[in-house]
Amino acid sequence: MTVLAATGAGRGLRRRLSRTPLWGAAPGVAFLAVFFLFPVLRLLLLSVQDADGGFSLGAYARAFSTTVYLHVLAITFAIAAETTLISLLAGLPLAYWLTHLPPRRRGPVLLLVMLPFWTSALVKTFAWLIILGRNGVLNRLLLAAGLIDHPLGLLHGRGGVMVGMVQAMLPLAVLTMLPVMLAIDRRLNDAARTLGASSVQAFWRVFFHLALPGLAAAGLLVFISALGYFITPALLGGPHDTMLAQLIITEVQEMMDWNFGGALAVLMVAAALLTCWLYERAFGIASVAGGAALPDPRRPLRRLGLVLLGVTADALSAAGGGIAARLGPRLSGWALPAFCLPVLAFLSVPTMVMLPMGFTSSSFLDFPPPGFGLSWFRMVLASPLWRDALLRSLAVAAATGIVATVTGALAAYAVARQGGRWGGALFALFLAPLAIPRIVVAFGLFTLFARLHLVGTSAGLAIGHAVLALPMVFVTVLATFKGYDWHLDQAAATLGADRRRVLVLITAPLVRSGLAAAFLFAFITSFDELTVAIFVSGGIVTTLPRQMWDDMILQLNPTLAAVSAIVFVIVAAALLVAELLRRAE
Amino acid sequence: MTNRQQQPSRRQMLAVGGAAALIGMVRPARAGRQLTVADPGGPYSPGYRKAFYDPFEQETGIRIVDVAREAYPTAQFKAMVQTGSYIWDVCTLTNFDRDILAAQELLAPIDLAATGDPGLMPGGVTPLWLGVDVYATVLAYRTDHFPAGGPQSWADVWDVARFPGRRALHKSPIDTLEQALMADGVPAPQLYPLDVDRAFRSLDRIKPHVDVWWTGGAQSTQLLQSGEVDLCAMWNARAQAAIDGGAPARIVWHQGLYDIEGWAIPKGCPHIDMARQFVAFCAAAKRQARFTGKLSYGPTNLRAYADIPPARAAILPTAPANLAEMAGANGDWWRTHRAAVTERFNSWLLG
Amino acid sequence: MDGSTKAQAAGTAKLVTRGVAKSYGPVAALQPTDLHVGAGELMTVLGPSGSGKTTLLQIIAGLVEPTAGRILIDGNDHTHTPVHRRDIGVVFQSYALFPHLTVAENIGFPLRMRGLPAAELARRVRAALAMVQLGHLADRPPRALSGGQQQRVALARCFVYQPSIILMDEPLGALDRKLREHMQVEIKHLHRESGATILYVTHDQEEALAISDRICLMNQARVEQIGSPRQIYEAPASIFAAEFIGISNVLRGRVGSRTLRTPDGEFALPAVPGGLTSGAPAALVVRPENVQLADSGHGALAGEVVEHVYAGSETRLLLRLASGTVFTLRLPAGVPAPAIGAAVGVRWPDGAAVCVPA
């Protein structure tokens, strides 16, 4: 509202606007316009300038004068696509299994799925180095068991990259497709079976089709997130696993060629937007919000997508049926857990390896630790640097959570109430930060913040993190509103409550579990965020991931593991509190 | 160790509670008799504090607030000067970064000529910058893998028949091209200007035998420490960290390339006089000697070795015996050729 | 067990359940139940919610595994046959139409599962669509259809593959009354045309009376009474049966010598149910349509008119008896009703009252 007033909107317009629920989106729109659209567009502008600010297409000429950037872009796409494919293939059975668990058991298993979220990307990557190295945990186990004669080369190739990236992305895939799967009417499965479909056929012909919007949404989120990855491929990959984000960071930070860095960022954004567009054509963007629309088979691209999926489903159904027939009903009943339990183990292994190393007496990350000692914890807790970083991370995450939840939830309310053309536009806007790789947002914010004197401030960090967290909040709250009975609002209005009081007294309390989940998402997004922190913190306001990153560049010791253990405890406590609140409801 | 009490106070940070808190989170103005310096962080901070910050505070009464700068501070440096929002007054730069920033006229003169110390090594001081510590890119190998003596030159590293083993090189053309040329027989003093074509031809020969191209310093330590590789081109301090951690490894100073890191002041710095006073303070041999107890970097003031025990000196790049084996990296050549060569290097890696 | 052997010997039983039971921990969802459904019969399973009728249906369909008992179809044991091999059709209350398939694809689904050739499949889908008069909506998605149309699609999808038994779980529960009555006729029609054996679950006693060959009345997880609609209506076996189906006047008391003593008087019993000895609690059940107004006085039950309920073709009169029991009777249209507060007497012909245990 204040924004509207500030823009000097006329009285009539204001009265008209105050009657539509769209006003709720105003704070979020203003926020995104200033801190997302503007910096990203400025970056676009930067890419068509030369070093002196004059118009120039030199950066693009350079980008296309050699094949190396297109080659890296192709590699980036390939890595993102492979990550997406594997995450979906592993995530689908896992999510399906989760839908079949009784709710009481589902909660704890879900926490296990989310375990990788609780450990920073950096730490997870180093954990993989320790597990998969030539003298790593896995090779030593296999050698000791006599299964291999020579250590396997598991790292420094595409395989290593996939291990690291899938482990990071799988939770996102599962959490995105799960709500859609849970919303599927279980009786449809019964119906299919009474009509003569075996349980394998019922899965592929009915459940799978109905879960498609969720799968498609998961695929998009994973793909876009994977596009912007740089740490994992750099540390686990080989010379052929260079991602575009790495080159952008080099251009911006080492070469200081912002114009060329901007051009590469534009290349990345263009690729990401193209993907989103194709996705929208094939599946409808609304499915990101969870189970909204089924594909309309009339559009040619969608029909193509559906036909492809249908053929795949048939083939998989036949194969699955064959396997199930061979295994027999008893064994095939065990097939799902037999697949899912190792996947869960895969998700939690890096954390399980990293945590004990914080309690090591060694000055290196050795697993298993040669001896027990608390010196690294003492070091971390005694160090003002780490203490400040921890407190700042908590404060920034809390501020991010509040800002993102308030603006995002209001926007979700507006879209849920209004819908229509404006609703669609808002929907696209609030999901847009997901479609732009983080590195681009971070770089754009950096150039903007430098002008606003926000580089090196906690406020700058919180703003940047809120931009990244808004889509999560928006989608989560919007999904909550799907099941909301708007008659309750109407009832409150007939009983004399004005719109604001309806929102505060009726709507908000009724969707509070959704709001709490959204806050938690935003909190964790900020708490584990590194890219924006690298660009915006200025080394002055160090957050925990940023401090870990700095530490890692210069030295590698069990501080990382000790900090991870502390973070683990904090996040676990936050999730536990959230779970208790939910149960109390 | 570090003193960060003047940063946004914890009380302010905890007062976060909505939009109002955002205002409270904006950086507070800095106090008067105080200098903010940006060092590389990590082990540098305690090392520099002992050598420079604490003595400076005692001598002048000016408080030193140290922050960890970015790994690559140039972008931040540029943004800071362009927008006039100075978050620190002095910052360490490699001579490479210094040249980039100097070319864009973003540095203030340090005015050291008057107090310039005669012990400073060649290239250790310019009008815009005072070198403080020297690091070197060297060869390190696992002694357990080469019990009968390991490779002693880049030519040996390239000789996979005589020295079989897993190899790691830096995923960057800087230093790597020089190493390739030295392996191909170019004497260190004649490296520059680099014969890029020859370097890539040499790299072609070793490429199939490189098991890891590392990207971060800590990664190279981990590679050597865990035995993931047997030979590694890496920074001396990173190799030393593995050795200090008990790894059976040795540093080969021969054909190493050293580079210097030092203080620079951003143009338009609001505390320019104090900043210059601090920079000059760091030139003294005795003070530089003190950080070598914690850091395995060499002092730029070679007179410092008078105060450094010989055992410690042996692992420092500027110890006379080590320095004699090495050549200086040439930032000038790289400044003009870096973009093109990096592009070619990336392309070569993917090919 | 006598009945079951007899039915089997006769060879008419399409579906037999023997001692089928289901319990979840200590809670019995279904007590051991014996049921015999003849070939071509339409049997409704009627009862209030929680009476175990849906559990019974799910066990027969194979969607729920019984804790005890056996299921025989055509004399063969199918207790552990997987759902999709039982050749049983189920019409779900929610219709369970696949939202990602068109109407025609939904109907074709079971045929596809059975590997029918495309041409044959298309022909039978067309025929099924014609049967439910929805040929013009073949390519629509199910959600574009009205509730009644969706229900007809669900029926067509079930009849199209001619399963040997069709189970219907409250199939009309979501429809409004008018549509429900229309669909009841349609189901009866489909049943007659197809000759299918149908087990039909409902909680609507009017619906049960309207469409069933026989009714299996359930209460508290067990079978209360099985019989034709007429038998159950006219000769309820319990107070529950009497009260659940239609409107009943129930006068509770104790059995005397060929009489029932109640607070409102003593009534001669035409027949005392087996097992009821003198002094046992019992009740007399009289249907309202059998009750006539009479002058209060000798031989008539006296009461006071408390309410008129006008229902077009008739008016129901509610009386309060001396004991406080409310008693209902029906006045055909045109018969003037006594004023509220008037003291009236009622009587019923011999044989119109049934005595049940209480």
Side-chain angles (χ1 to χ4, degrees):
Chain A
M1 291 299 266
T2 52
V3 175
L4 284 175
T7 56
R11 218 164 238 285
L13 179 64
R14 236 162 70 199
R15 202 176 306 121
R16 201 150 22 119
L17 280 177
S18 72
R19 280 204 211 103
T20 128
L22 277 177
W23 65 264
V29 170
F31 186 81
L32 284 179
V34 175
F35 294 116
F36 171 68
L37 291 181
F38 178 66
V40 170
L41 289 176
R42 253 175 57 102
L43 205 60
L44 183 91
L45 200 66
L46 211 57
S47 74
V48 291
Q49 289 174 349
D50 57 24
D52 303 321
F55 176 80
S56 160
L57 289 174
Y60 289 99
R62 184 181 151 200
F64 290 104
S65 68
T66 149
T67 55
V68 65
Y69 299 104
L70 289 177
H71 194 161
V72 170
L73 185 66
I75 291 172
T76 306
F77 257 69
I79 289 179
E82 285 165 31
T83 306
T84 307
L85 190 68
I86 300 174
S87 298
L88 290 184
L89 285 180
L92 174 65
L94 188 54
Y96 182 66
W97 185 57
L98 281 167
T99 61
H100 279 71
L101 289 179
R104 287 223 153 240
R105 291 238 307 278
R106 194 185 301 139
V109 175
L110 252 180
L111 290 185
L112 212 56
V113 171
M114 297 203 304
L115 203 57
F117 274 176
W118 312 0
T119 317
S120 91
L122 211 56
V123 172
K124 277 181 293 191
T125 306
F126 266 99
W128 284 121
L129 286 177
I130 287 153
I131 295 164
L132 299 178
R134 259 169 74 80
N135 300 319
V137 180
L138 187 60
N139 267 325
R140 272 184 288 151
L141 278 177
L142 292 174
L143 282 168
L147 291 171
I148 50 171
D149 297 329
H150 303 286
L152 301 173
L154 302 166
L155 287 175
H156 309 299
R158 192 57 67 84
V161 176
M162 281 304 121
V163 166
M165 294 196 56
V166 168
Q167 196 245 354
M169 290 290 152
L170 193 52
L172 180 63
V174 171
L175 290 183
T176 312
M177 61 176 98
L178 190 61
V180 178
M181 290 189 177
L182 286 173
I184 294 173
D185 186 351
R186 291 281 285 279
R187 284 168 297 193
L188 293 176
N189 191 47
D190 288 349
R193 292 201 297 147
T194 65
L195 292 169
S198 68
S199 49
V200 174
Q201 282 172 315
F203 174 82
W204 287 111
R205 297 225 174 253
V206 179
F207 187 87
F208 179 72
H209 276 271
L210 296 173
L212 271 181
L215 278 167
L220 183 73
L221 290 188
V222 169
F223 186 83
I224 300 287
S225 308
L227 275 187
Y229 253 58
F230 56 96
I231 302 166
T232 309
L235 290 180
L236 300 179
H240 292 280
D241 302 311
T242 304
M243 303 274 281
L244 200 56
Q246 284 167 271
L247 297 191
I248 295 176
I249 290 185
T250 308
E251 287 300 331
V252 172
Q253 296 211 311
E254 291 182 51
M255 307 284 209
M256 288 254 293
D257 193 340
W258 294 4
N259 307 108
F260 190 60
L264 291 183
V266 168
L267 213 59
M268 197 162 186
V269 170
L273 289 182
L274 181 72
T275 310
C276 286
W277 182 79
L278 282 173
Y279 172 87
E280 206 282 327
R281 294 272 110 179
F283 304 106
I285 206 88
S287 64
V288 173
L294 278 159
D296 177 352
R298 272 168 299 194
R299 289 203 199 172
L301 248 170
R302 291 193 185 182
R303 205 178 310 142
L304 179 72
L306 286 176
V307 166
L308 274 175
L309 283 164
V311 170
T312 318
D314 283 358
L316 289 170
S317 167
I323 293 167
R326 197 153 305 162
L327 287 175
R330 193 166 297 255
L331 270 179
S332 54
W334 282 101
L336 200 54
F339 175 83
C340 292
L341 293 176
V343 171
L344 283 177
F346 164 74
L347 287 176
S348 39
V349 153
T351 312
M352 293 305 144
V353 164
M354 191 49 88
L355 293 185
M357 287 191 292
F359 299 89
T360 186
S361 58
S362 154
S363 60
F364 272 86
L365 288 167
D366 299 317
F367 190 88
F372 177 83
L374 289 173
S375 56
W376 294 105
F377 283 95
R378 271 199 291 274
M379 206 288 278
V380 168
L381 294 174
S383 153
L385 204 63
W386 284 104
R387 251 187 2 232
D388 282 3
L390 176 63
L391 289 174
R392 184 166 299 105
S393 274
L394 287 173
V396 168
T400 301
I402 290 164
V403 171
T405 306
V406 171
T407 51
L410 281 173
Y413 168 81
V415 171
R417 284 306 306 265
Q418 182 77 12
R421 197 154 42 89
W422 282 105
L426 285 173
F427 194 92
L429 173 68
F430 277 87
L431 287 197
L434 276 184
I436 310 291
R438 265 185 199 191
I439 175 85
V440 177
V441 178
F443 179 30
L445 278 175
F446 169 67
T447 59
L448 173 70
F449 283 179
R451 255 164 231 291
L452 299 178
H453 297 238
L454 280 170
V455 171
T457 64
S458 299
L461 281 173
I463 289 170
H465 289 173
V467 169
L468 300 180
L470 258 178
M472 294 286 190
V473 168
F474 179 77
V475 165
T476 308
V477 180
L478 195 61
T480 312
F481 276 130
K482 280 227 156 72
Y484 186 74
D485 183 1
W486 294 109
H487 290 119
L488 296 173
D489 279 24
Q490 293 169 358
T494 62
L495 294 171
D498 61 25
R499 190 182 286 282
R500 209 192 53 219
R501 279 193 289 177
V502 170
L503 193 61
V504 172
L505 296 176
I506 306 296
T507 321
L510 286 172
V511 297
R512 68 177 180 273
S513 66
L515 292 177
F519 177 84
L520 209 65
F521 264 133
F523 186 93
I524 293 181
T525 300
S526 163
F527 200 68
D528 187 34
E529 207 287 330
L530 177 61
T531 319
V532 166
I534 284 182
F535 277 86
V536 171
S537 77
I540 295 230
V541 287
T542 305
T543 61
L544 216 46
R546 170 65 208 259
Q547 181 59 36
M548 286 163 124
W549 170 253
D550 283 344
D551 212 51
M552 188 217 85
I553 285 180
L554 288 160
Q555 59 192 358
L556 189 59
N557 58 39
T559 317
L560 274 185
V563 173
S564 314
I566 294 168
V567 170
F568 185 89
V569 169
I570 290 171
V571 178
L575 289 176
L576 200 69
V577 168
E579 177 71 10
L580 288 177
L581 284 176
R582 204 178 59 77
R583 291 233 172 128
E585 230 168 78
Chain B
M1 54 192 266
T2 54
N3 188 338
R4 297 169 69 92
Q5 266 69 34
Q6 290 309 304
Q7 297 318 306
S9 79
R10 210 160 305 149
R11 209 162 356 107
Q12 275 171 314
M13 297 311 301
L14 292 175
V16 170
L22 278 178
I23 299 158
M25 285 169 72
V26 175
R27 197 175 56 254
R30 282 176 293 134
R33 296 286 288 170
Q34 169 179 306
L35 202 63
T36 309
V37 302
D39 61 40
Y44 280 86
S45 307
Y48 277 18
R49 177 148 290 281
K50 183 168 169 243
F52 306 130
Y53 308 155
D54 285 344
F56 186 75
E57 286 181 359
Q58 279 159 22
E59 206 173 298
T60 63
I62 298 170
R63 274 186 53 142
I64 297 287
V65 176
D66 62 307
V67 302
R69 66 152 166 80
E70 313 235 337
Y72 301 100
T74 41
Q76 191 181 33
F77 214 106
K78 181 177 177 179
M80 216 169 70
V81 175
Q82 282 183 345
T83 60
S85 61
Y86 294 91
I87 50 184
W88 27 252
D89 305 302
V90 188
C91 175
T92 57
L93 294 175
T94 61
N95 55 14
F96 187 83
D97 287 341
R98 172 203 69 202
D99 289 344
I100 290 179
L101 293 169
Q104 301 194 19
E105 294 176 0
L106 298 168
L107 301 181
I110 57 171
D111 282 356
L112 192 64
T115 53
D117 194 296
L120 288 172
M121 64 190 286
V125 65
T126 76
L128 298 172
W129 171 88
L130 169 75
V132 178
D133 67 82
V134 178
Y135 63 95
T137 307
V138 294
L139 163 65
Y141 66 88
R142 298 268 302 192
T143 51
D144 57 345
H145 187 81
F146 298 107
Q152 296 303 316
S153 67
W154 295 114
D156 288 354
V157 174
W158 258 241
D159 190 343
V160 292
R162 261 182 69 210
F163 296 98
R166 288 168 58 85
R167 288 155 161 77
L169 296 180
H170 191 186
K171 193 178 179 181
S172 157
I174 300 176
D175 296 345
T176 307
L177 256 59
E178 283 94 330
Q179 288 156 9
L181 286 170
M182 287 189 275
D184 204 35
V186 178
Q190 290 162 33
L191 279 173
Y192 302 96
L194 298 182
D195 182 344
V196 176
D197 290 335
R198 184 174 174 182
F200 276 104
R201 277 197 304 277
S202 174
L203 281 172
D204 280 337
R205 290 200 301 278
I206 195 67
K207 190 180 183 185
H209 308 287
V210 178
D211 297 279
V212 183
W213 294 90
W214 59 265
T215 46
Q219 189 190 3
S220 65
T221 306
Q222 202 266 345
L223 290 172
L224 192 66
Q225 164 79 19
S226 66
E228 181 80 25
V229 298
D230 307 309
L231 306 88
C232 188
M234 61 201 295
W235 295 312
N236 71 294
R238 300 290 92 231
Q240 191 60 42
I243 295 168
D244 291 346
R250 182 170 298 154
I251 292 172
V252 179
W253 295 101
H254 180 57
Q255 290 188 332
L257 288 165
Y258 68 82
D259 213 335
I260 311 174
E261 210 167 13
W263 298 118
I265 303 167
K267 193 172 165 185
C269 169
H271 307 102
I272 184 83
D273 292 336
M274 282 195 290
R276 283 174 175 154
Q277 192 183 353
F278 172 76
V279 171
F281 185 85
C282 296
K286 274 190 191 309
R287 289 170 196 137
Q288 290 195 3
R290 295 179 75 175
F291 72 70
T292 62
K294 289 203 171 186
L295 299 171
S296 45
Y297 297 101
T300 51
N301 193 326
L302 299 179
R303 290 181 178 183
Y305 283 95
D307 296 311
I308 301 173
R312 188 68 192 168
I315 63 161
L316 302 178
T318 50
N322 295 340
L323 197 56
E325 296 282 338
M326 297 193 289
N330 187 329
D332 273 349
W333 188 87
W334 276 111
R335 201 175 67 244
T336 42
H337 297 89
R338 185 176 181 184
V341 172
T342 301
E343 210 162 82
R344 180 164 172 187
F345 183 78
N346 283 335
S347 172
W348 173 82
L349 263 184
L350 297 176
Chain C
M1 289 309 277
D2 277 354
S4 100
T5 33
K6 235 182 281 169
Q8 215 157 329
T12 54
K14 180 78 180 169
L15 169 72
V16 175
T17 72
R18 283 201 192 148
V20 164
K22 178 72 186 176
S23 49
Y24 296 97
V27 183
L30 184 66
Q31 305 278 8
T33 299
D34 295 325
L35 200 66
H36 312 271
V37 186
E41 189 178 16
L42 196 166
M43 176 185 270
T44 51
V45 180
L46 174 67
S49 57
S51 60
K53 55 191 194 305
T54 294
T55 305
L56 175 63
L57 179 126
Q58 285 178 323
I59 290 173
I60 294 170
L63 295 169
V64 167
E65 188 89 348
T67 22
R70 293 167 61 202
I71 292 157
L72 306 175
I73 297 171
D74 291 327
N76 301 317
D77 191 332
H78 281 278
T79 316
H80 300 294
T81 308
V83 185
H84 65 284
R85 301 229 187 88
R86 283 197 189 196
D87 199 27
I88 279 182
V90 181
V91 179
F92 293 83
Q93 175 172 16
S94 61
Y95 317 142
L97 298 179
F98 304 125
H100 60 301
L101 302 179
T102 64
V103 165
E105 285 167 343
N106 260 287
I107 296 174
F109 186 90
L111 303 178
R112 226 176 136 191
M113 289 300 111
R114 285 163 176 75
L116 248 66
E120 171 70 3
L121 188 149
R123 194 187 60 73
R124 280 173 65 174
V125 168
R126 266 200 308 278
L129 277 167
M131 182 179 76
V132 293
Q133 296 145 32
L134 287 175
H136 57 295
L137 298 176
D139 293 325
R140 297 278 184 86
R143 63 169 179 278
L145 272 57
S146 71
Q149 288 169 331
Q150 290 188 28
Q151 178 57 65
R152 298 221 293 269
V153 174
L155 287 173
R157 187 175 71 175
C158 192
F159 279 96
V160 72
Y161 62 102
Q162 297 161 354
S164 65
I165 298 171
I166 294 177
L167 309 177
M168 299 190 182
D169 187 5
E170 308 249 4
L172 308 182
L175 303 182
D176 62 46
R177 187 190 172 91
K178 192 109 189 147
L179 202 52
R180 203 158 64 223
E181 284 171 358
H182 174 76
M183 289 301 297
Q184 286 166 3
V185 175
E186 205 150 321
I187 287 174
K188 274 187 98 150
H189 178 74
L190 280 171
H191 173 235
R192 202 165 38 246
E193 295 273 293
S194 64
T197 306
I198 297 178
L199 198 65
Y200 187 107
V201 165
T202 182
H203 68 272
D204 181 341
Q205 43 97 11
E206 283 183 35
E207 187 168 292
L209 293 175
I211 67 170
S212 312
D213 292 330
R214 282 197 299 157
I215 293 172
C216 167
L217 181 65
M218 297 193 70
N219 185 32
Q220 293 179 340
R222 55 178 191 82
V223 174
E224 190 86 22
Q225 188 177 5
I226 297 180
S228 69
R230 181 174 293 275
Q231 277 171 340
I232 291 197
Y233 187 81
E234 293 182 357
S238 60
I239 293 184
F240 171 79
E243 288 190 326
F244 193 74
I245 295 179
I247 301 171
S248 290
N249 295 308
V250 177
L251 298 167
R252 288 163 192 268
R254 286 180 185 278
V255 178
S257 59
R258 301 189 65 83
T259 59
L260 186 75
R261 280 195 290 275
T262 77
D264 293 302
E266 190 168 356
F267 301 93
L269 291 181
V272 178
L276 281 184
T277 51
S278 181
L284 204 62
V285 175
V286 193
R287 294 290 183 185
E289 58 270 29
N290 294 334
V291 181
Q292 289 140 18
L293 274 179
D295 294 331
S296 64
H298 187 70
L301 191 58
E304 179 193 344
V305 177
V306 291
E307 198 60 84
H308 298 159
V309 179
Y310 179 71
S313 60
E314 63 176 30
T315 300
R316 284 200 292 278
L317 217 57
L318 269 56
L319 315 179
R320 189 184 296 116
L321 305 184
S323 66
T325 306
V326 175
F327 201 93
T328 308
L329 65 126
R330 291 186 167 152
L331 295 177
V335 177
I340 288 180
V344 294
V346 291
R347 62 167 75 246
W348 52 85
D350 288 346
V354 182
C355 179
V356 297

